[in-house]
Each structure stands twice: as structure tokens, then as C-alpha cells.
Amino acid sequence: MIPSAPATSLTASVDDEMLSRMVRTDQMVAVRRSVLAAIPINVVLSCTVALVALHAGRAFEGLIWLLLSLALNGVRSYISRWPFAPWPGVAAESGVATSASGRPVGWHLRAAAAMAGASGCVWALIPLLCDGYSSPQAVFYLTVVCGICAGSVTYGIAYALVPISFITPALLSVAGCLVFAGGFDNLSLAAMVLLYLGALMRGALHSDRAFREGSRIRNEATAMATQLRMAHAKSLDAAQQLALRASHDSLTGLLNREGFTEAATLHLMVPDGRQHGLLLLDLDGFKAVNDAFGHKAGDRVLQDVASWLQRETEDMQAVLGRWGGDEFAVLYGLRDERQAPAAIAQALIRSISFATSHYGGHLGVSIGISVSGEAGFADMISFADEALHEAKRTGRNRYQVFDNALNQRLATRRDVERDLLQAIGTRDIGVWYQPIMTSDGREVHSLEALMRWNHPRHGQIAPEDVIHAAASTGVAEPLLRHLVDEVCRGMRQLEAAGSSLAGVPVAINVSPREMAQLAVDDIVLGMLKLRGIAPRRLQIEITEEVALDTHATRGRLSALSAAGVAIVVDDFGVGFSSLASLRSEYVRQVKIDRSFILDLSSSPGNEVLVDSIVQLGHSLGVQVVAEGVETQAELDVLRNLGCGLVQGYHLARPAPLPDVMAWAAARSAPEPIKAG
Ligand code: C2E
Ligand code: CA
Ligand code: CA
């Protein structure tokens, strides 16, 4: 059974007032039709009446009566064609004249009743043509009057007042005349006529009721159907909106990750024998714009980049999408040489700086490309992602095509991702230590903990790759906990062995991604507490990219700093806003990036830079470390510049803890007394 609730709620919105207006309008339209249909009959009968009168020698009276009848029919016909003013919200049938300035429906109904009454009065004058129904033509007239009255009721089913107004004077005049004539037969006939009048009235009222009921039902059904149609259209519209929102990025209007995946998958399924190019773009310097100009400006950059990308790929019939954050994706079928992905990537890299020059010219784009004839979308995107990763790693604002070497790297990465969690559990991921020395070579200032993993199949895995794999497989937190734990164990081992390095602070590295995505403060401080290690024995090295990052990151850093953990800005000098990080209240140390130390002895430019960083550090009370010291010449220059702390292969290479302990023990052993 179909539940009735929805229908009720639908009709509820067509209120009674509106419904009765619709019914009245229907009545009026029907009355007009019936009047216009009845008039020709009325005219024919009137003419016949006049003819009979003429034949009976009553030409004058007959003519006057005919003129009267014709005039009245003319007026009725005329009024029935007047436009009427529809009620607001009520639609009249098509083909019916309406006008805002026309008379209202109620007026027209009343006018129709009045005119019907007038017409009935004309028929009530028939007795003047037949001496009060006593002449030989009386039977004819009586029949005609009764007939026209019956016809009036038959036609006027919509609005009882019209036929009643017509038949009442006409039949009362008949009955009156018969009563006036007197005699049993006439009186009986008069009674019959009155009975007839009553029956006709009853019939008229009955059909009026039936008509209104029919009209109400019809209007209700129409309104319900209209509302159902509207509701259907609305729900279709809503479903379309939902589908659009689910597949599109609201900021740029491009396909979002899901939408792009779906569209690209379909695109690749078309068997057109063509090769396809997939470009994965990642903006360089977007974060700096976001930090410097705020998120609104960041949003505008993304919108501008989306329109730029649309313009640049206009004639390629490409699928475009925002892959996430500041990453965009383009997939297209290759048609000719000019559309070679490398050429497109080159053009994009060249044009982005113009397209976004009003943001200070910092923006570039790194692009990873995969080209394939038969690979599915999932493979193509991971190839492009790998290539993008490589483009970023090797200098940014460049493109990289996915090739055999990257394919090998991808295979490695997949193994790394697969084995990572297990390696944490079995402690196969370990830590090596590299000493940081005072530049006079006398003391070990601290140790830097560097992650090491010797993968059973792929050998040593670069720490950055482990961090990346941990982030993409969701094990960044267990990895960080594990490394802090390893460092704590290392400290305990140094103490237990009575090493000269016991008590020397140990620095761990935390990547920007870890800093942004993990509660590093809680994790680190929690682990230290668990292992009973004082926070001041730990240092955290972060790249300066992070130092001025979000509110959350700053909060984490100051919590760590407040607990006693020293914050070190790593790779100092190779990003944005270096000087600002020197001013920051929680930065205790900066590490000048290795690229400045390289060839220090032969590069006056680097020397000036290092000198000024050292001076700045002195005046701001921040320790300065030079990392990557590989030669005595570099060390000499650094000493001369007053750089207090140094780290590098020339002093000590990273090594497992026992080796570092042995190295320290050898250093502190008393010099054998030289003979002589
Ligand atoms: P970094 O923090 O700048 O670490 C210094 C890197 O330079 C280390 O490479 C170290 O072995 C190397 N190095 C030290 N002295 C010299 C030198 O004289 N010459 C040259 N050419 N290199 C030198 P490593 O261990 O491969 O680490 C690479 C990067 O991986 C690190 O750069 C650091 O950013 C990251 N990393 C290492 N361990 C971890 C870790 O536990 N967690 C996180 N998040 N990142 C880590
Ligand atoms: Ca470091
Ligand atoms: Ca570094």
C-alpha cells in the first residue's frame, strides 16, 4: 500500500482559501461557456416566439419582445467576453481572457446571475403575447418556456444562481397567469409548474454542488501533481548539486581528487590507441606566500593558478584537477610533438612566474610526469608522484619524467613502506651519532642522532626516504617515538659505560612534516619522562622552514623550549625568513647549511655570509654551528671567523654508538709520554 502521508503534506500547502478561489474561477469559466452556448438557442427560440406572435396577429408585441430578448442576449454575450482579473496564484485555463485591470471573478458571477435574471424577466413577459396563456397559442408558449427553463438548468450546472435567476421569473409568471385564469385545470397546472420550478431549482443546486466538488478534486490533484513535479525537479537539482560538490573543489572549481580520479580513469579507458601524459604539479614557494600574505591571499593564488592552468591547457582536451593542497593534476591524450609532456611542462614552468608575478615572483612549479600507453590511473599517478618527488628533491621549479631509475626507486619505496613498521618493532631502524665539536677541537659540544636503516634488500635507506614513507603509511608517530627511545637508550648506555660523552646533549632531527602533523612536544616530553631523561639533555633540529610556521607549530616549539629542550634551526640560510628565526625566543642554535661551508676557503662570497651569520649569532646570543666541514682549510677559516661550533667528516663521521664511544675514549686518553 502506498503511504498517504506525503500526499497530505503536499496538499496542505494549497490552502482552503486558494482552493475555493480556484473553484470560483472554474465556475466562472464554465458559466461563460454555458451562456455563450445557450445564447444561440435562446435567439432561435425568441425568433420562433416572434413568428408565432406574428402569425397570431400580435406582430407589434412580438417584435418589441423579440427586440428586447435580442438586446439582452447581445449584452450577455458581450459581458461574457470581458477579461477578468485572475486571483493571485490561481491560473486560469488557457484561452480564457484575463487582465490585471479586468473585473474580479465574483463580479462576473454576480453579473451573469443578474443578466440571467433579466433574461428570465423577458421570458416572463410571454403572457403579453398570449393573453396570459389563454389564447390558442398558449400550449406552444407554455412548452417553449418550460423547455427553455429545463435547458437553462441543463446548461447552467456550474453556478446554480444563474439558472435559478432565469427560471424563477419565467416560471412564476406562468404559474401566476394560470392562477389568475382560475379553474381546476389551470390551478392544477399552476401547481405542476411550481412543482416543476422547485424540481429545477433543486437540480440546479445539486449540479452546482457536484460541479464544485469535481472542480475541487481536480484542482487539488493538479496542485499535487505540480508540487510533485516541482519536488522531483528540486530533488534532481539537489542530487546534481551534491554530485557536483562531491566531485569538484569548491575553491578553484576544478575537479577534486575524487572527481579527477574518476574522470581520469574513464579517460584512460577509452581505447583510442593513444599515449597519455599525466602531469602532477606542485607549487614552489606557495607556503611562503601563504605565510607572508595570509590564507585569503593563498586562496587567491590557488584560484589564479587554476585559471592559468585552464588557459594553458585550453586546446588539449585535458582533464584538470586540484590533487590537494597546492598540487594540481593534468591528464591528456598525446596528439603530436608539440604536446609532448616535457614541452608542456617546460612551457608551464616558464609561464607560471608571469602568471603569478603580482605575488612577489616567488612562485614556481615542480612537475612530475608519467607517460603511458597502457598503465591504469593508479599506476600513472604514483609514477608521476615519484617523478614530482624527484623534481622537488633535485632543485624545484623543474620537471622530471618518470623513467627506469625512478621505477627502481619506486619499487624500493614500496618495499620500504611495506617493511617499515616491522623494522621499527624489531629495532632494525637504529641511530648513528655524529659529534659536534668546539672549533678549537677540544670538546665535544653535543651529538647529532641520525637515523640509519640497512634494508635487507635495498641496503641503506636515506633518512628522508624513511620519513617520507612513514608519513605516507601513517607510522610517523611510532617512528618518532622509536627514535626518541633509541636516543634515550643511547644516553643510558653512555652513562653505564662511564663514557666521557655521558651528559653531552643529543640532537634529534624533526622534519617539517612531522612538526606539522604530530604533537611532537607531547610525544618527545612524554618519552623523556618515561625514560627518566632530563629534557635539557635533548636538542631538536628543525629546518627553518618550520621555525615560522603555523600557530600550532610555534606552540609546540615553545612548549619544548620551555621544558628545557634546545631548539636548533638546521640548514640555516637556504630558505625564506632566516633572520626572523634568529630573533625567535626559543631558538638556541643555528646550523649554517653545508652549501655555505663547501669551498669556504676559496669562496669569498660564502665567507662574507658565514661571517655575518656568526656576528649576528654573537649579538643575538644564539650559538652558531657550521656543518659539513670536510677539510682543515674550511676549519681554519671558520676558526678565524669566530665560529664556535663545527661538525663534519673532517672532525668525525656519523657512527654507531660503540664506535663513537671508542672514538671519544681514544681522544681523552692521556698522550703517551714521548721519550726524549
Ligand atoms: P641534516 O640534519 O642536515 O644532517 C646532516 C647530514 O649531513 C647527515 O646525513 C650527515 O651524515 C651528513 N654529514 C655530516 N657531516 C658531513 C660532511 O662533512 N659532509 C657531507 N657531505 N655530509 C655530512 P644523513 O645522515 O644522510 O641525513 C640526511 C638528512 O636526513 C639529515 O640532514 C636530516 O635532515 C635527515 N635525518 C636524519 N636523521 C633523521 C631523523 O632521525 N629524523 C628526521 N626527521 N630526519 C632525519
Ligand atoms: Ca640535522
Ligand atoms: Ca643540516
Side-chain angles (χ1 to χ4, degrees):
M1 200 179 124
I2 299 164
S4 60
T8 322
S9 65
L10 277 172
T11 45
S13 60
V14 183
D15 59 26
D16 287 349
E17 165 86 16
M18 178 76 83
L19 205 56
S20 75
R21 285 175 177 186
M22 289 169 162
V23 172
R24 299 284 275 175
T25 305
D26 277 355
Q27 282 182 296
M28 195 215 62
V29 171
V31 163
R32 287 176 153 212
R33 275 207 196 112
S34 67
V35 166
L36 290 174
I39 280 174
I41 302 168
N42 196 318
V43 168
V44 170
L45 287 178
S46 299
C47 292
T48 316
V49 164
L51 269 178
V52 171
L54 177 72
H55 190 252
R58 299 281 179 95
F60 179 70
E61 293 94 321
L63 193 66
I64 297 293
W65 185 87
L66 178 64
L67 287 178
L68 211 60
S69 173
L70 289 180
L72 211 62
N73 276 321
V75 174
R76 288 182 81 186
S77 163
Y78 178 63
I79 291 180
S80 291
R81 291 173 210 273
W82 276 3
F84 70 95
W87 268 305
V90 177
E93 280 179 52
S94 57
V96 179
T98 58
S99 150
S101 59
R103 306 230 180 226
V105 169
W107 184 91
H108 276 277
L109 282 173
R110 283 193 301 277
M115 292 315 291
S119 184
C121 288
V122 171
W123 285 89
L125 296 178
I126 289 289
L128 297 178
L129 307 179
C130 56
D131 301 330
Y133 293 103
S134 60
S135 74
Q137 293 79 30
V139 175
F140 165 77
Y141 289 123
L142 205 57
T143 311
V144 169
V145 170
C146 289
I148 200 167
C149 285
S152 147
V153 172
T154 318
Y155 273 91
I157 55 164
Y159 186 55
L161 205 56
V162 170
I164 289 175
S165 303
F166 180 81
I167 62 175
T168 306
L171 290 179
L172 279 184
S173 125
V174 174
C177 289
L178 290 173
V179 171
F180 184 73
F184 181 75
D185 290 353
N186 283 337
L187 287 177
S188 303
L189 197 54
M192 284 302 112
V193 169
L194 288 178
L195 210 64
Y196 180 55
L197 173 62
L200 286 184
M201 280 180 168
R202 199 163 157 259
L205 288 170
H206 182 77
S207 11
D208 177 311
R209 237 187 340 267
F211 179 90
R212 278 186 284 123
E213 181 61 15
S215 161
R216 198 180 59 77
I217 290 170
R218 187 176 63 84
N219 278 304
E220 254 176 16
T222 311
M224 211 192 289
T226 309
Q227 280 172 358
L228 272 174
R229 238 192 342 268
M230 273 159 53
H232 181 63
K234 237 174 153 175
S235 72
L236 263 184
D237 197 45
Q240 272 170 355
Q241 287 282 339
L242 267 180
L244 196 79
R245 240 182 272 169
S247 62
H248 283 73
D249 169 44
S250 58
L251 180 68
T252 60
L254 296 183
L255 291 167
N256 59 18
R257 189 184 267 253
E258 290 73 28
F260 183 81
T261 302
E262 200 178 316
T265 307
L266 285 176
H267 194 93
L268 290 172
M269 268 161 46
V270 178
D272 56 2
R274 274 197 272 170
Q275 286 216 310
H276 288 89
L278 175 62
L279 275 63
L280 203 55
L281 296 84
D282 185 306
L283 300 183
D284 296 325
F286 173 72
K287 218 176 74 62
V289 172
N290 221 18
D291 291 347
F293 299 105
H295 284 290
K296 280 228 172 82
D299 285 355
R300 239 172 301 126
V301 171
L302 294 174
Q303 285 165 339
D304 285 358
V305 167
S307 348
W308 158 77
L309 207 52
Q310 273 168 327
R311 276 197 311 277
E312 295 286 323
T313 56
E314 215 165 23
D315 48 357
M316 288 163 51
Q317 292 169 330
V319 184
L320 287 190
R322 181 173 170 207
W323 189 243
D326 58 347
E327 283 187 2
F328 294 84
V330 182
L331 177 85
Y332 67 104
L334 272 60
R335 269 178 298 175
D336 55 52
E337 269 307 295
R338 276 175 304 122
Q339 289 199 340
I344 300 290
Q346 189 92 63
L348 289 175
I349 289 169
R350 236 181 285 128
S351 70
I352 189 167
S353 53
F354 297 111
T356 57
S357 56
H358 44 290
Y359 298 108
H362 282 319
L363 278 184
V365 62
S366 296
I367 303 178
I369 299 173
S370 72
V371 180
S372 176
E374 69 273 353
F377 176 72
D379 280 337
M380 281 193 84
I381 197 82
S382 72
F383 297 164
D385 190 44
E386 193 63 28
L388 172 63
H389 192 59
E390 180 66 5
K392 284 244 163 217
R393 206 179 62 81
T394 51
R396 307 185 168 213
N397 216 21
R398 57 182 296 276
Y399 69 87
Q400 172 73 48
V401 181
F402 183 77
D403 53 15
N404 277 339
L406 285 180
N407 199 5
Q408 180 57 44
R409 171 107 55 93
L410 184 61
T412 307
R413 165 140 33 178
R414 285 184 175 157
D415 287 353
V416 164
E417 287 178 352
R418 190 195 53 209
D419 303 335
L420 181 59
L421 193 58
Q422 199 191 354
I424 293 173
T426 54
R427 294 184 57 209
D428 281 339
I429 295 180
V431 174
W432 282 16
Y433 296 86
Q434 184 178 29
I436 293 161
M437 318 279 297
T438 53
S439 56
D440 56 13
R442 283 206 193 122
E443 274 175 52
V444 177
H445 171 270
S446 51
L447 297 170
E448 178 173 7
L450 295 160
M451 182 200 313
R452 289 293 179 266
W453 182 18
N454 194 7
H455 189 275
R457 243 184 91 196
H458 301 288
Q460 287 292 342
I461 310 294
E464 291 102 329
D465 292 345
V466 182
I467 293 294
H468 194 264
S472 49
T473 51
V475 297
E477 183 169 335
L479 179 63
L480 178 63
R481 280 184 194 286
H482 168 68
L483 292 169
V484 178
D485 195 28
E486 286 293 304
V487 167
C488 291
R489 283 168 191 261
M491 291 181 185
R492 286 271 172 260
Q493 236 174 297
L494 290 172
E495 287 163 12
S499 166
S500 60
L501 295 176
V504 165
V506 179
I508 58 164
N509 290 279
V510 175
S511 71
R513 205 194 298 217
E514 288 170 291
M515 205 67 224
Q517 293 176 353
L518 303 179
V520 175
D521 48 347
D522 293 343
I523 295 169
V524 169
L525 296 175
M527 281 310 286
L528 291 176
K529 194 166 176 197
L530 192 70
R531 297 286 175 229
I533 304 276
R536 73 184 148 67
R537 293 182 58 191
L538 196 81
Q539 304 191 336
I540 286 189
E541 295 195 9
I542 47 164
T543 53
E544 55 179 335
E545 213 179 316
V546 147
L548 294 176
D549 205 346
T550 58
H551 186 66
T553 306
R554 278 202 297 271
R556 281 168 201 156
L557 290 175
S558 32
L560 285 162
S561 168
V565 176
I567 307 297
V568 180
V569 173
D570 207 350
D571 305 338
F572 186 80
V574 287
F576 299 101
S577 45
S578 314
L579 293 177
S581 64
L582 272 179
R583 260 188 327 173
S584 154
E585 74 276 16
Y586 43 72
V587 171
R588 198 88 63 76
Q589 191 184 92
V590 293
K591 256 188 185 180
I592 308 175
D593 190 67
R594 202 167 68 222
S595 56
F596 295 101
I597 310 302
L598 202 69
D599 303 327
L600 189 58
S601 47
S602 56
S603 159
N606 276 353
E607 194 176 326
V608 171
L609 274 169
V610 172
D611 186 27
S612 42
I613 297 171
V614 170
Q615 296 310 320
L616 263 170
H618 282 326
S619 36
L620 293 169
V622 174
Q623 292 176 330
V624 178
V625 184
E627 69 174 345
V629 182
E630 293 187 349
T631 64
Q632 181 63 40
E634 286 165 1
L635 182 60
D636 290 341
V637 176
L638 288 165
R639 269 198 201 133
N640 283 340
L641 293 175
C643 180
L645 299 172
V646 287
Q647 176 185 12
Y649 292 169
H650 180 65
L651 301 134
R653 289 188 174 249
L657 193 61
D659 296 5
V660 179
M661 277 177 358
W663 167 86
R667 267 173 47 86
S668 56
E671 292 262 329
I673 300 160
K674 287 188 185 131

